[in-house]
Amino acid sequence: MTESSTRLAAYLDQRRRLGEPGLVPAELEPGEILRLLRARAASGPAAVERAERARRRGRYDERPSGPARDGADTGKAVADASEAGRVGSADYDALRAAAMACTRCRLAEGRKTVVFSDGNPAARLMVVGEAPGAREDATGLPFVGQAGRLLDLMLASVALSRRDSVYICNVLKCRPPGNRNPQPDEIESCAPLLKRQIELVAPEVLLAVGSFAAQWLTTSRQALGKLRGKVYSYQGVPLVVTYHPAALLRNSGWSRLAWDDLQLLRQVMDGR
Ligand code: URA
């Protein structure tokens, strides 16, 4: 047995023991998920582009360190791509530069840094969270506080890490004051950046953590407890949703459900 089939067997056994009638509580049929994954694996250009980007960056390290880098090319990219219409066709560097210089909503006034991403842009899995908090705003990296440490543990429980197998970003790139919820107009202003970011990273699987990411990616208004437990499709990319780690820190009763979500994620990633 391979490692993934052993893990799957343990997972199925666990669900059976819990009396789960549907072993794969998926909105997409497993066959459909497999078809999507195979189609993406066969879609050469995205894979080639990912590999090329990873090579250019000396593999993963794109850790941001404050505002856009100096230099004539970057300056031009900012000027070009910060126009909303241009974001939709920006390449990765221009998109990041546009985000770093973005003043499209009020959050630009209070931020210290723009938090664009962390992890490996060539990863198969893209995690989308809600918005930066104080530590993320100070460091320019998503999920570096307490919730981030839990997220890393959650990912590690299914053999994933931001160092090499995950790309992480948020719905909002700037910190809402006092860590309040993102406002609808802020989400709308930031959405073209996220949309293009997903297109360019071209992940094989998406994981939404928390209701803001889950609702945006599924275009549903349902609460997370109703959304979780299924596999969705975002523009043809299989999407799993789970609780935000900050919510899990407040409510440990959801941990078992989050564990199930991670097993579902692993299944999808293993093409089962
Ligand atoms: N919560 C999020 O959703 N994103 C972060 O980057 C940090 C905390």
Side-chain angles (χ1 to χ4, degrees):
M1 261 199 190
T2 63
E3 194 196 336
S4 63
S5 55
T6 308
R7 220 176 5 239
L8 178 64
Y11 167 67
L12 294 176
D13 186 51
Q14 177 210 34
R15 294 197 77 88
R16 214 174 286 117
R17 276 186 282 113
L18 290 168
E20 286 287 346
L23 292 178
V24 184
E27 198 154 88
L28 292 178
E29 291 299 316
E32 173 71 358
I33 297 168
L34 274 179
R35 196 186 59 70
L36 288 170
L37 288 172
R38 282 203 200 98
R40 296 192 70 78
S43 69
V48 170
E49 199 192 343
R50 272 206 304 277
E52 177 57 16
R53 260 201 325 271
R55 190 190 61 72
R56 278 206 315 269
R57 294 213 165 80
R59 201 137 168 91
Y60 315 137
D61 226 337
E62 59 151 357
R63 291 182 169 238
S65 55
R69 289 160 288 172
D70 293 338
D73 285 347
T74 305
K76 182 172 180 314
V78 171
D80 286 349
S82 56
E83 267 179 87
R86 294 289 190 98
V87 163
S89 57
D91 68 16
Y92 190 88
D93 290 337
L95 183 73
R96 187 168 175 277
M100 291 308 187
C102 182
T103 55
R104 293 189 70 196
C105 82
R106 63 182 83 80
L107 297 182
E109 289 154 28
R111 75 180 178 222
K112 289 197 181 78
T113 56
V114 174
V115 179
F116 189 66
S117 71
D118 194 16
N120 174 8
R124 293 178 60 218
L125 176 68
M126 180 166 184
V127 175
V128 183
E130 181 179 312
R135 285 189 64 124
E136 289 77 20
D137 186 43
T139 58
L141 292 167
F143 283 103
V144 288
Q146 226 193 344
R149 282 196 295 281
L150 178 56
L151 177 65
D152 286 340
L153 289 173
M154 290 163 70
L155 294 170
S157 77
V158 282
L160 295 165
S161 86
R162 76 169 84 192
R163 191 65 213 151
D164 50 26
S165 48
V166 181
Y167 178 90
I168 305 182
C169 68
N170 285 307
V171 171
L172 294 189
K173 310 294 185 234
C174 299
R175 182 190 181 204
N179 296 343
R180 65 155 167 75
N181 283 343
Q183 301 297 296
D185 62 324
E186 293 160 0
I187 294 175
E188 197 183 326
S189 296
C190 229
L193 291 173
L194 178 59
K195 192 166 175 293
R196 186 65 181 150
Q197 198 170 16
I198 297 173
E199 279 167 11
L200 290 168
V201 172
E204 286 175 30
V205 182
L206 280 157
L207 175 69
V209 294
S211 56
F212 286 93
Q215 289 178 349
W216 190 82
L217 287 163
T218 60
T219 68
S220 165
R221 310 283 303 169
Q222 284 192 300
L224 193 90
K226 292 253 183 280
L227 286 174
R228 60 160 295 281
K230 304 179 189 110
V231 181
Y232 299 84
S233 164
Y234 171 86
Q235 313 268 315
V237 182
L239 161 69
V240 175
V241 312
T242 193
Y243 292 100
H244 193 286
L248 293 174
L249 288 169
R250 288 192 302 267
N251 188 339
S252 60
W254 289 334
S255 328
R256 213 213 66 171
L257 298 172
W259 167 253
D260 283 351
D261 297 335
L262 291 167
Q263 301 309 307
L264 180 58
L265 171 71
R266 189 69 254 180
Q267 251 189 317
V268 173
M269 292 203 66
D270 290 346
R272 301 282 177 171

